[in-house]
Amino acid sequence: MTVTSVSEAAKAVVRRNAEEVQGGGGHALYDQLFADDFVDHTPQPGRTPDKAGALELYKVLRAASPTSTR
């Protein structure tokens, strides 16, 4: 795999996370995109710096969004 193809693959994962998980509420996809040992280096107050904490933040932000279809 070339550096360019790795870069494009990484961009695709980030895009899917933003569009399908954060924007679309696809929380099952979140489990596929994030490693079990994921570490959030900038956790929000009251959230754990792990995969579960990041997902909880996504859910809270989505629920608070006026455009959310939950």
Side-chain angles (χ1 to χ4, degrees), residues 18-62:
E19 293 174 357
E20 298 177 41
V21 177
Q22 294 175 358
H27 299 129
L29 177 60
Y30 178 87
D31 283 334
Q32 295 175 24
L33 296 180
F34 285 75
D36 290 336
D37 61 352
F38 167 80
V39 175
D40 183 351
H41 294 281
T42 57
Q44 297 301 301
R47 304 280 172 242
T48 58
D50 56 8
K51 184 177 178 177
L55 179 58
E56 182 60 31
L57 176 63
Y58 285 0
K59 288 179 178 180
V60 167
L61 293 174
R62 183 158 174 74

